[in-house]
Amino acid sequence: MHLEEVLAENELRVTRPRRLVWDILRSSNDHLTAQAIADAVHTQDASINVSSVYRALTLFSELGIARESKFGEDGSRWEPAHSDEMIHLVCEKCGTVDHHGGQVVTRLRDHLASDHGFVSSNVNVVVNGTCSNCSAQ
Amino acid sequence: MHLEEVLAENELRVTRPRRLVWDILRSSNDHLTAQAIADAVHTQDASINVSSVYRALTLFSELGIARESKFGEDGSRWEPAHSDEMIHLVCEKCGTVDHHGGQVVTRLRDHLASDHGFVSSNVNVVVNGTCSNCSAQ
DNA sequence: ATCCTTATTGCGAACCATGTGCAATAGTTG
DNA sequence: CAACTATTGCACATGGTTCGCAATAAGGAT
Ligand SMILES: [Mn+2]
Ligand SMILES: [Mn+2]
Ligand SMILES: [Zn+2]
Ligand SMILES: [Zn+2]
């Protein structure tokens, strides 16, 4: 997925803040807070304002190329967009957030639609607990 | 579930703010914001402060008798505690939040534990979409 | 019923993540 | 390169929630 294209298609400009935020998002395989992203951006260019980071993130989300998730604490977490079927496993011990795929979400959507007439636009599954690493101490 | 008992068991006092907040929570079958709860409380006793409402809600959550959920917008939503298996269907049109029960969550927990060593403490499933009422216009 | 101890309150100010108005800046197109 | 205007940086506003502290009121004992 190329930022430039998506922006061009929507007659939006490719700016330094947007490029930097996007690069951080792509290169990290974490679920970052806006602040963490801003910090990372600042190691490249300290002159970029937090507002621009927020504006970029909001825009990317609207464009469908970034995903915002709200886990327990602090603010939203950001990452490149991925399917709802990739659910989030949040370890309460070490704090890591893992992905887990399967059919759960798809089956749930289908069941809700066919048996209850509820048409889902997006499904968020967050599992809090203890990861296998932390279970083994 | 009697508030008085739970509080007594934990050597906590039964106060007017706590009783009022609990009554609102019990008598509504909605998912209320802290502000909505405070407003409702104020119709009974205008002298009760929002801080006390927040403190009561936080306490109830720690005691396991209230449940806090974060849906899309604005602040947290509160209700009497219920099982994780009761998942939330949030209608983007009319705003209503419905419950849906089943085995989905239980099966997911089991799968994660046995096949991935992830021991879940709580599972949150939020489905956003259009309810059957709103689909029918 | 009254006193005592201290948990709980009301109040105001602080907080933190995020959004905004506006003049200055910098993409983009020709 | 010039012109147009989307986007930025800045500083400040916001909204939901929390905190410190002195005043109040539960609950146990007398
Ligand atoms: Mn993810
Ligand atoms: Mn509920
Ligand atoms: Zn862990
Ligand atoms: Zn609806």
Side-chain angles (χ1 to χ4, degrees):
Chain A
M1 175 151 321
H2 294 253
L3 214 219
E4 333 265 325
E5 293 171 18
V6 182
L7 289 176
E9 282 166 19
N10 294 77
E11 293 167 328
L12 294 164
R13 297 183 180 174
V14 181
T15 65
R16 193 159 163 72
R18 286 175 182 165
R19 235 178 309 113
L20 287 173
V21 168
W22 182 244
D23 288 348
I24 304 294
L25 237 41
R26 296 299 320 250
S27 63
S28 159
N29 44 352
D30 239 346
H31 297 76
L32 304 169
T33 63
Q35 190 53 60
I37 296 169
D39 290 350
V41 165
H42 284 157
T43 68
Q44 312 278 126
D45 183 339
S47 77
I48 287 170
N49 198 274
V50 211
S51 310
S52 302
V53 173
Y54 278 104
R55 285 190 274 232
L57 290 171
T58 308
L59 177 68
F60 294 167
S61 160
E62 285 162 2
L63 293 174
I65 61 174
R67 181 187 182 104
E68 178 180 12
S69 302
K70 313 204 186 216
F71 304 138
E73 306 307 299
D74 21 77
S76 293
R77 301 286 179 145
W78 298 85
E79 62 181 322
H82 65 66
S83 151
D84 286 354
E85 192 65 78
M86 288 309 232
I87 68 171
H88 292 124
L89 311 185
V90 183
C91 179
E92 288 159 339
K93 296 270 174 64
C94 63
T96 52
V97 178
D98 275 340
H99 288 147
H100 178 269
Q103 310 304 130
V104 215
V105 174
T106 306
R107 281 203 278 259
L108 176 60
R109 300 179 91 111
D110 291 351
H111 169 70
L112 291 177
S114 58
D115 293 19
H116 300 275
F118 190 98
V119 183
S120 57
S121 61
N122 64 82
V123 179
N124 289 296
V125 179
V126 179
V127 182
N128 297 291
T130 311
C131 75
S132 52
N133 260 353
C134 292
S135 291
Q137 239 66 314
Chain B
M1 175 153 318
H2 294 254
L3 214 218
E4 333 263 325
E5 293 170 16
V6 182
L7 289 175
E9 281 167 18
N10 293 77
E11 293 167 326
L12 293 164
R13 297 180 181 175
V14 180
T15 66
R16 193 160 162 72
R18 285 173 184 167
R19 236 178 307 114
L20 287 173
V21 168
W22 182 244
D23 288 347
I24 304 295
L25 236 41
R26 295 301 319 251
S27 63
S28 160
N29 45 352
D30 239 345
H31 297 75
L32 305 169
T33 62
Q35 190 52 60
I37 296 169
D39 290 349
V41 164
H42 284 158
T43 69
Q44 312 277 127
D45 183 339
S47 75
I48 287 169
N49 197 276
V50 214
S51 312
S52 303
V53 173
Y54 278 103
R55 285 190 275 233
L57 290 171
T58 309
L59 177 67
F60 295 166
S61 158
E62 286 162 1
L63 292 173
I65 61 175
R67 180 187 183 104
E68 179 181 11
S69 301
K70 313 202 187 218
F71 304 138
E73 306 307 298
D74 21 78
S76 293
R77 301 284 179 147
W78 297 86
E79 61 180 324
H82 65 68
S83 150
D84 285 355
E85 193 65 76
M86 290 308 238
I87 68 171
H88 292 124
L89 311 186
V90 183
C91 178
E92 288 159 339
K93 295 268 173 65
C94 63
T96 52
V97 178
D98 275 341
H99 287 147
H100 179 268
Q103 311 304 133
V104 215
V105 174
T106 307
R107 280 203 279 258
L108 177 60
R109 300 178 91 111
D110 291 351
H111 169 71
L112 292 176
S114 58
D115 294 18
H116 300 275
F118 190 98
V119 183
S120 58
S121 61
N122 64 81
V123 179
N124 289 295
V125 179
V126 178
V127 183
N128 297 291
T130 311
C131 74
S132 53
N133 259 352
C134 291
S135 291
Q137 238 67 317

mmCIF file of all heavy atoms in Angstrom, chain A residues 1-40:
data_model
loop_
_atom_site.group_PDB
_atom_site.id
_atom_site.type_symbol
_atom_site.label_atom_id
_atom_site.label_comp_id
_atom_site.label_asym_id
_atom_site.label_seq_id
_atom_site.Cartn_x
_atom_site.Cartn_y
_atom_site.Cartn_z
ATOM 1 N N MET A 1 0.831 -1.205 0.000
ATOM 2 C CA MET A 1 0.000 0.000 0.000
ATOM 3 C C MET A 1 0.865 1.255 0.000
ATOM 4 O O MET A 1 1.648 1.481 0.909
ATOM 5 C CB MET A 1 -0.904 0.013 1.227
ATOM 6 C CG MET A 1 -1.691 1.294 1.337
ATOM 7 S SD MET A 1 -3.236 1.065 2.170
ATOM 8 C CE MET A 1 -3.743 -0.518 1.529
ATOM 9 N N HIS A 2 0.712 2.083 -1.016
ATOM 10 C CA HIS A 2 1.538 3.268 -1.116
ATOM 11 C C HIS A 2 0.752 4.511 -0.719
ATOM 12 O O HIS A 2 -0.275 4.819 -1.296
ATOM 13 C CB HIS A 2 2.078 3.415 -2.542
ATOM 14 C CG HIS A 2 3.019 2.323 -2.916
ATOM 15 N ND1 HIS A 2 4.383 2.497 -3.030
ATOM 16 C CD2 HIS A 2 2.805 1.011 -3.168
ATOM 17 C CE1 HIS A 2 4.964 1.362 -3.350
ATOM 18 N NE2 HIS A 2 4.029 0.432 -3.444
ATOM 19 N N LEU A 3 1.285 5.191 0.258
ATOM 20 C CA LEU A 3 0.655 6.399 0.781
ATOM 21 C C LEU A 3 0.375 7.373 -0.339
ATOM 22 O O LEU A 3 -0.718 7.918 -0.448
ATOM 23 C CB LEU A 3 1.599 7.057 1.787
ATOM 24 C CG LEU A 3 1.102 7.793 3.012
ATOM 25 C CD1 LEU A 3 1.929 9.020 3.255
ATOM 26 C CD2 LEU A 3 -0.367 8.117 2.945
ATOM 27 N N GLU A 4 1.387 7.601 -1.144
ATOM 28 C CA GLU A 4 1.318 8.596 -2.222
ATOM 29 C C GLU A 4 0.069 8.378 -3.079
ATOM 30 O O GLU A 4 -0.672 9.320 -3.360
ATOM 31 C CB GLU A 4 2.561 8.477 -3.110
ATOM 32 C CG GLU A 4 3.791 7.910 -2.393
ATOM 33 C CD GLU A 4 4.720 8.985 -1.859
ATOM 34 O OE1 GLU A 4 4.848 10.025 -2.507
ATOM 35 O OE2 GLU A 4 5.303 8.794 -0.769
ATOM 36 N N GLU A 5 -0.135 7.147 -3.487
ATOM 37 C CA GLU A 5 -1.289 6.832 -4.329
ATOM 38 C C GLU A 5 -2.602 7.170 -3.645
ATOM 39 O O GLU A 5 -3.441 7.889 -4.193
ATOM 40 C CB GLU A 5 -1.294 5.345 -4.683
ATOM 41 C CG GLU A 5 -0.143 4.931 -5.585
ATOM 42 C CD GLU A 5 -0.054 3.420 -5.727
ATOM 43 O OE1 GLU A 5 -1.067 2.746 -5.422
ATOM 44 O OE2 GLU A 5 1.019 2.926 -6.125
ATOM 45 N N VAL A 6 -2.756 6.627 -2.458
ATOM 46 C CA VAL A 6 -4.013 6.844 -1.735
ATOM 47 C C VAL A 6 -4.290 8.330 -1.568
ATOM 48 O O VAL A 6 -5.420 8.788 -1.752
ATOM 49 C CB VAL A 6 -3.973 6.173 -0.350
ATOM 50 C CG1 VAL A 6 -5.288 6.346 0.369
ATOM 51 C CG2 VAL A 6 -3.640 4.704 -0.490
ATOM 52 N N LEU A 7 -3.259 9.081 -1.248
ATOM 53 C CA LEU A 7 -3.452 10.515 -1.073
ATOM 54 C C LEU A 7 -3.815 11.172 -2.409
ATOM 55 O O LEU A 7 -4.776 11.934 -2.488
ATOM 56 C CB LEU A 7 -2.191 11.147 -0.485
ATOM 57 C CG LEU A 7 -1.892 10.815 0.986
ATOM 58 C CD1 LEU A 7 -0.575 11.424 1.427
ATOM 59 C CD2 LEU A 7 -3.020 11.294 1.892
ATOM 60 N N ALA A 8 -3.070 10.825 -3.441
ATOM 61 C CA ALA A 8 -3.307 11.411 -4.761
ATOM 62 C C ALA A 8 -4.736 11.125 -5.227
ATOM 63 O O ALA A 8 -5.442 12.035 -5.670
ATOM 64 C CB ALA A 8 -2.304 10.861 -5.760
ATOM 65 N N GLU A 9 -5.138 9.863 -5.084
ATOM 66 C CA GLU A 9 -6.500 9.476 -5.475
ATOM 67 C C GLU A 9 -7.551 10.357 -4.829
ATOM 68 O O GLU A 9 -8.643 10.533 -5.349
ATOM 69 C CB GLU A 9 -6.774 8.022 -5.072
ATOM 70 C CG GLU A 9 -6.160 6.993 -6.013
ATOM 71 C CD GLU A 9 -6.174 5.602 -5.385
ATOM 72 O OE1 GLU A 9 -6.958 5.398 -4.436
ATOM 73 O OE2 GLU A 9 -5.405 4.737 -5.852
ATOM 74 N N ASN A 10 -7.224 10.846 -3.649
ATOM 75 C CA ASN A 10 -8.207 11.657 -2.940
ATOM 76 C C ASN A 10 -7.881 13.146 -2.977
ATOM 77 O O ASN A 10 -8.409 13.924 -2.183
ATOM 78 C CB ASN A 10 -8.331 11.178 -1.490
ATOM 79 C CG ASN A 10 -8.916 9.794 -1.414
ATOM 80 O OD1 ASN A 10 -8.246 8.803 -1.664
ATOM 81 N ND2 ASN A 10 -10.209 9.715 -1.100
ATOM 82 N N GLU A 11 -6.973 13.485 -3.894
ATOM 83 C CA GLU A 11 -6.600 14.888 -4.074
ATOM 84 C C GLU A 11 -6.089 15.507 -2.782
ATOM 85 O O GLU A 11 -6.410 16.645 -2.441
ATOM 86 C CB GLU A 11 -7.785 15.696 -4.619
ATOM 87 C CG GLU A 11 -8.139 15.280 -6.048
ATOM 88 C CD GLU A 11 -9.484 15.831 -6.483
ATOM 89 O OE1 GLU A 11 -10.356 15.968 -5.606
ATOM 90 O OE2 GLU A 11 -9.657 16.108 -7.673
ATOM 91 N N LEU A 12 -5.305 14.692 -2.086
ATOM 92 C CA LEU A 12 -4.699 15.175 -0.845
ATOM 93 C C LEU A 12 -3.199 15.270 -1.062
ATOM 94 O O LEU A 12 -2.641 14.558 -1.900
ATOM 95 C CB LEU A 12 -5.011 14.210 0.304
ATOM 96 C CG LEU A 12 -6.482 14.103 0.702
ATOM 97 C CD1 LEU A 12 -6.731 12.870 1.549
ATOM 98 C CD2 LEU A 12 -6.906 15.374 1.444
ATOM 99 N N ARG A 13 -2.570 16.144 -0.300
ATOM 100 C CA ARG A 13 -1.142 16.371 -0.533
ATOM 101 C C ARG A 13 -0.248 15.454 0.277
ATOM 102 O O ARG A 13 -0.580 15.079 1.403
ATOM 103 C CB ARG A 13 -0.804 17.832 -0.221
ATOM 104 C CG ARG A 13 -1.546 18.771 -1.147
ATOM 105 C CD ARG A 13 -1.183 20.208 -0.903
ATOM 106 N NE ARG A 13 -1.923 21.071 -1.820
ATOM 107 C CZ ARG A 13 -1.899 22.398 -1.778
ATOM 108 N NH1 ARG A 13 -1.164 23.004 -0.848
ATOM 109 N NH2 ARG A 13 -2.584 23.107 -2.639
ATOM 110 N N VAL A 14 0.861 15.117 -0.319
ATOM 111 C CA VAL A 14 1.853 14.298 0.369
ATOM 112 C C VAL A 14 2.777 15.237 1.126
ATOM 113 O O VAL A 14 3.612 15.898 0.522
ATOM 114 C CB VAL A 14 2.675 13.458 -0.621
ATOM 115 C CG1 VAL A 14 3.672 12.606 0.142
ATOM 116 C CG2 VAL A 14 1.768 12.606 -1.487
ATOM 117 N N THR A 15 2.610 15.276 2.419
ATOM 118 C CA THR A 15 3.408 16.209 3.211
ATOM 119 C C THR A 15 4.374 15.455 4.120
ATOM 120 O O THR A 15 4.218 14.251 4.343
ATOM 121 C CB THR A 15 2.499 17.080 4.088
ATOM 122 O OG1 THR A 15 1.856 16.226 5.045
ATOM 123 C CG2 THR A 15 1.447 17.775 3.256
ATOM 124 N N ARG A 16 5.322 16.186 4.658
ATOM 125 C CA ARG A 16 6.320 15.565 5.524
ATOM 126 C C ARG A 16 5.676 14.911 6.749
ATOM 127 O O ARG A 16 5.968 13.750 7.029
ATOM 128 C CB ARG A 16 7.340 16.631 5.924
ATOM 129 C CG ARG A 16 8.588 16.093 6.554
ATOM 130 C CD ARG A 16 9.732 17.108 6.440
ATOM 131 N NE ARG A 16 10.797 16.790 7.377
ATOM 132 C CZ ARG A 16 11.615 15.758 7.223
ATOM 133 N NH1 ARG A 16 11.478 14.951 6.185
ATOM 134 N NH2 ARG A 16 12.575 15.528 8.116
ATOM 135 N N PRO A 17 4.805 15.615 7.476
ATOM 136 C CA PRO A 17 4.178 14.975 8.634
ATOM 137 C C PRO A 17 3.475 13.682 8.250
ATOM 138 O O PRO A 17 3.634 12.654 8.910
ATOM 139 C CB PRO A 17 3.168 16.024 9.106
ATOM 140 C CG PRO A 17 3.728 17.323 8.657
ATOM 141 C CD PRO A 17 4.414 17.041 7.363
ATOM 142 N N ARG A 18 2.716 13.695 7.178
ATOM 143 C CA ARG A 18 1.980 12.504 6.764
ATOM 144 C C ARG A 18 2.917 11.371 6.400
ATOM 145 O O ARG A 18 2.676 10.230 6.781
ATOM 146 C CB ARG A 18 1.070 12.843 5.572
ATOM 147 C CG ARG A 18 -0.126 13.658 5.992
ATOM 148 C CD ARG A 18 -0.960 14.111 4.807
ATOM 149 N NE ARG A 18 -2.092 14.931 5.236
ATOM 150 C CZ ARG A 18 -2.808 15.697 4.426
ATOM 151 N NH1 ARG A 18 -2.532 15.746 3.143
ATOM 152 N NH2 ARG A 18 -3.819 16.412 4.898
ATOM 153 N N ARG A 19 3.984 11.696 5.670
ATOM 154 C CA ARG A 19 4.911 10.642 5.286
ATOM 155 C C ARG A 19 5.591 10.041 6.504
ATOM 156 O O ARG A 19 5.685 8.824 6.632
ATOM 157 C CB ARG A 19 5.944 11.177 4.284
ATOM 158 C CG ARG A 19 5.978 10.355 3.010
ATOM 159 C CD ARG A 19 6.950 10.880 1.960
ATOM 160 N NE ARG A 19 6.799 12.278 1.658
ATOM 161 C CZ ARG A 19 7.704 13.214 1.955
ATOM 162 N NH1 ARG A 19 8.806 12.890 2.600
ATOM 163 N NH2 ARG A 19 7.500 14.465 1.629
ATOM 164 N N LEU A 20 6.017 10.881 7.421
ATOM 165 C CA LEU A 20 6.707 10.376 8.612
ATOM 166 C C LEU A 20 5.787 9.521 9.481
ATOM 167 O O LEU A 20 6.162 8.432 9.920
ATOM 168 C CB LEU A 20 7.282 11.547 9.424
ATOM 169 C CG LEU A 20 8.507 12.213 8.798
ATOM 170 C CD1 LEU A 20 8.906 13.458 9.562
ATOM 171 C CD2 LEU A 20 9.670 11.218 8.770
ATOM 172 N N VAL A 21 4.565 10.009 9.706
ATOM 173 C CA VAL A 21 3.622 9.238 10.531
ATOM 174 C C VAL A 21 3.363 7.884 9.891
ATOM 175 O O VAL A 21 3.389 6.850 10.558
ATOM 176 C CB VAL A 21 2.295 10.010 10.723
ATOM 177 C CG1 VAL A 21 1.228 9.112 11.317
ATOM 178 C CG2 VAL A 21 2.508 11.222 11.607
ATOM 179 N N TRP A 22 3.172 7.903 8.600
ATOM 180 C CA TRP A 22 2.891 6.649 7.903
ATOM 181 C C TRP A 22 4.071 5.682 7.997
ATOM 182 O O TRP A 22 3.897 4.481 8.228
ATOM 183 C CB TRP A 22 2.544 6.923 6.442
ATOM 184 C CG TRP A 22 2.191 5.693 5.671
ATOM 185 C CD1 TRP A 22 2.867 5.158 4.618
ATOM 186 C CD2 TRP A 22 1.064 4.833 5.901
ATOM 187 N NE1 TRP A 22 2.235 4.017 4.191
ATOM 188 C CE2 TRP A 22 1.142 3.787 4.953
ATOM 189 C CE3 TRP A 22 0.024 4.835 6.824
ATOM 190 C CZ2 TRP A 22 0.191 2.758 4.901
ATOM 191 C CZ3 TRP A 22 -0.918 3.811 6.783
ATOM 192 C CH2 TRP A 22 -0.829 2.790 5.825
ATOM 193 N N ASP A 23 5.291 6.209 7.849
ATOM 194 C CA ASP A 23 6.481 5.356 7.931
ATOM 195 C C ASP A 23 6.591 4.704 9.300
ATOM 196 O O ASP A 23 6.900 3.521 9.405
ATOM 197 C CB ASP A 23 7.740 6.178 7.632
ATOM 198 C CG ASP A 23 7.825 6.547 6.157
ATOM 199 O OD1 ASP A 23 7.052 5.976 5.349
ATOM 200 O OD2 ASP A 23 8.654 7.418 5.803
ATOM 201 N N ILE A 24 6.338 5.480 10.346
ATOM 202 C CA ILE A 24 6.390 4.922 11.701
ATOM 203 C C ILE A 24 5.381 3.788 11.814
ATOM 204 O O ILE A 24 5.679 2.696 12.292
ATOM 205 C CB ILE A 24 6.015 5.989 12.757
ATOM 206 C CG1 ILE A 24 6.894 7.220 12.638
ATOM 207 C CG2 ILE A 24 6.076 5.415 14.156
ATOM 208 C CD1 ILE A 24 8.306 7.008 12.954
ATOM 209 N N LEU A 25 4.173 4.060 11.374
ATOM 210 C CA LEU A 25 3.089 3.083 11.456
ATOM 211 C C LEU A 25 3.475 1.790 10.749
ATOM 212 O O LEU A 25 3.278 0.690 11.273
ATOM 213 C CB LEU A 25 1.842 3.681 10.803
ATOM 214 C CG LEU A 25 0.556 3.779 11.630
ATOM 215 C CD1 LEU A 25 0.846 4.221 13.043
ATOM 216 C CD2 LEU A 25 -0.403 4.762 10.975
ATOM 217 N N ARG A 26 4.022 1.935 9.543
ATOM 218 C CA ARG A 26 4.380 0.766 8.745
ATOM 219 C C ARG A 26 5.535 -0.004 9.357
ATOM 220 O O ARG A 26 5.533 -1.225 9.403
ATOM 221 C CB ARG A 26 4.799 1.179 7.325
ATOM 222 C CG ARG A 26 3.734 1.828 6.488
ATOM 223 C CD ARG A 26 2.526 0.950 6.236
ATOM 224 N NE ARG A 26 2.778 -0.454 5.975
ATOM 225 C CZ ARG A 26 2.610 -1.072 4.816
ATOM 226 N NH1 ARG A 26 2.221 -0.382 3.784
ATOM 227 N NH2 ARG A 26 2.828 -2.358 4.691
ATOM 228 N N SER A 27 6.540 0.729 9.809
ATOM 229 C CA SER A 27 7.761 0.053 10.251
ATOM 230 C C SER A 27 7.631 -0.571 11.635
ATOM 231 O O SER A 27 8.368 -1.480 11.981
ATOM 232 C CB SER A 27 8.941 1.024 10.221
ATOM 233 O OG SER A 27 8.709 2.077 11.132
ATOM 234 N N SER A 28 6.689 -0.082 12.421
ATOM 235 C CA SER A 28 6.484 -0.706 13.729
ATOM 236 C C SER A 28 5.467 -1.813 13.561
ATOM 237 O O SER A 28 4.533 -1.694 12.797
ATOM 238 C CB SER A 28 5.967 0.328 14.721
ATOM 239 O OG SER A 28 5.333 -0.315 15.803
ATOM 240 N N ASN A 29 5.639 -2.906 14.291
ATOM 241 C CA ASN A 29 4.563 -3.888 14.260
ATOM 242 C C ASN A 29 3.878 -3.936 15.625
ATOM 243 O O ASN A 29 3.460 -4.956 16.109
ATOM 244 C CB ASN A 29 5.034 -5.273 13.816
ATOM 245 C CG ASN A 29 6.321 -5.651 14.488
ATOM 246 O OD1 ASN A 29 6.950 -4.840 15.169
ATOM 247 N ND2 ASN A 29 6.732 -6.898 14.339
ATOM 248 N N ASP A 30 3.816 -2.740 16.189
ATOM 249 C CA ASP A 30 3.171 -2.578 17.479
ATOM 250 C C ASP A 30 1.849 -1.837 17.315
ATOM 251 O O ASP A 30 1.506 -1.430 16.212
ATOM 252 C CB ASP A 30 4.069 -1.749 18.392
ATOM 253 C CG ASP A 30 4.420 -2.532 19.644
ATOM 254 O OD1 ASP A 30 3.765 -3.550 19.907
ATOM 255 O OD2 ASP A 30 5.357 -2.110 20.356
ATOM 256 N N HIS A 31 1.175 -1.642 18.431
ATOM 257 C CA HIS A 31 -0.037 -0.830 18.451
ATOM 258 C C HIS A 31 0.326 0.410 19.235
ATOM 259 O O HIS A 31 0.338 0.399 20.459
ATOM 260 C CB HIS A 31 -1.178 -1.599 19.106
ATOM 261 C CG HIS A 31 -1.539 -2.837 18.349
ATOM 262 N ND1 HIS A 31 -0.788 -3.968 18.386
ATOM 263 C CD2 HIS A 31 -2.576 -3.092 17.513
ATOM 264 C CE1 HIS A 31 -1.345 -4.883 17.599
ATOM 265 N NE2 HIS A 31 -2.429 -4.379 17.059
ATOM 266 N N LEU A 32 0.632 1.483 18.513
ATOM 267 C CA LEU A 32 1.227 2.663 19.128
ATOM 268 C C LEU A 32 0.212 3.721 19.527
ATOM 269 O O LEU A 32 -0.798 3.924 18.854
ATOM 270 C CB LEU A 32 2.222 3.282 18.147
ATOM 271 C CG LEU A 32 3.327 2.369 17.624
ATOM 272 C CD1 LEU A 32 4.057 3.040 16.467
ATOM 273 C CD2 LEU A 32 4.298 2.008 18.738
ATOM 274 N N THR A 33 0.529 4.415 20.607
ATOM 275 C CA THR A 33 -0.288 5.575 20.979
ATOM 276 C C THR A 33 0.139 6.746 20.108
ATOM 277 O O THR A 33 1.243 6.760 19.557
ATOM 278 C CB THR A 33 -0.055 5.974 22.447
ATOM 279 O OG1 THR A 33 1.312 6.360 22.605
ATOM 280 C CG2 THR A 33 -0.384 4.840 23.394
ATOM 281 N N ALA A 34 -0.747 7.736 20.006
ATOM 282 C CA ALA A 34 -0.436 8.932 19.223
ATOM 283 C C ALA A 34 0.846 9.565 19.753
ATOM 284 O O ALA A 34 1.694 10.033 18.990
ATOM 285 C CB ALA A 34 -1.591 9.914 19.283
ATOM 286 N N GLN A 35 1.007 9.540 21.071
ATOM 287 C CA GLN A 35 2.179 10.147 21.684
ATOM 288 C C GLN A 35 3.453 9.413 21.292
ATOM 289 O O GLN A 35 4.464 10.043 20.980
ATOM 290 C CB GLN A 35 2.019 10.159 23.204
ATOM 291 C CG GLN A 35 3.084 10.983 23.913
ATOM 292 C CD GLN A 35 3.181 12.396 23.340
ATOM 293 O OE1 GLN A 35 2.226 13.148 23.361
ATOM 294 N NE2 GLN A 35 4.345 12.746 22.776
ATOM 295 N N ALA A 36 3.384 8.076 21.303
ATOM 296 C CA ALA A 36 4.544 7.277 20.908
ATOM 297 C C ALA A 36 4.908 7.574 19.459
ATOM 298 O O ALA A 36 6.087 7.683 19.111
ATOM 299 C CB ALA A 36 4.256 5.793 21.092
ATOM 300 N N ILE A 37 3.896 7.712 18.631
ATOM 301 C CA ILE A 37 4.126 8.031 17.224
ATOM 302 C C ILE A 37 4.756 9.411 17.103
ATOM 303 O O ILE A 37 5.732 9.601 16.373
ATOM 304 C CB ILE A 37 2.806 7.964 16.432
ATOM 305 C CG1 ILE A 37 2.275 6.536 16.445
ATOM 306 C CG2 ILE A 37 3.003 8.460 15.018
ATOM 307 C CD1 ILE A 37 0.858 6.393 15.924
ATOM 308 N N ALA A 38 4.231 10.365 17.859
ATOM 309 C CA ALA A 38 4.789 11.716 17.838
ATOM 310 C C ALA A 38 6.248 11.686 18.259
ATOM 311 O O ALA A 38 7.100 12.332 17.626
ATOM 312 C CB ALA A 38 3.981 12.630 18.752
ATOM 313 N N ASP A 39 6.554 10.929 19.307
ATOM 314 C CA ASP A 39 7.938 10.824 19.771
ATOM 315 C C ASP A 39 8.831 10.284 18.663
ATOM 316 O O ASP A 39 9.909 10.824 18.405
ATOM 317 C CB ASP A 39 8.016 9.912 20.999
ATOM 318 C CG ASP A 39 7.382 10.557 22.225
ATOM 319 O OD1 ASP A 39 7.065 11.769 22.167
ATOM 320 O OD2 ASP A 39 7.180 9.849 23.230
ATOM 321 N N ALA A 40 8.382 9.218 18.036
ATOM 322 C CA ALA A 40 9.156 8.607 16.958
ATOM 323 C C ALA A 40 9.343 9.599 15.812
ATOM 324 O O ALA A 40 10.442 9.717 15.256
ATOM 325 C CB ALA A 40 8.456 7.347 16.460
#
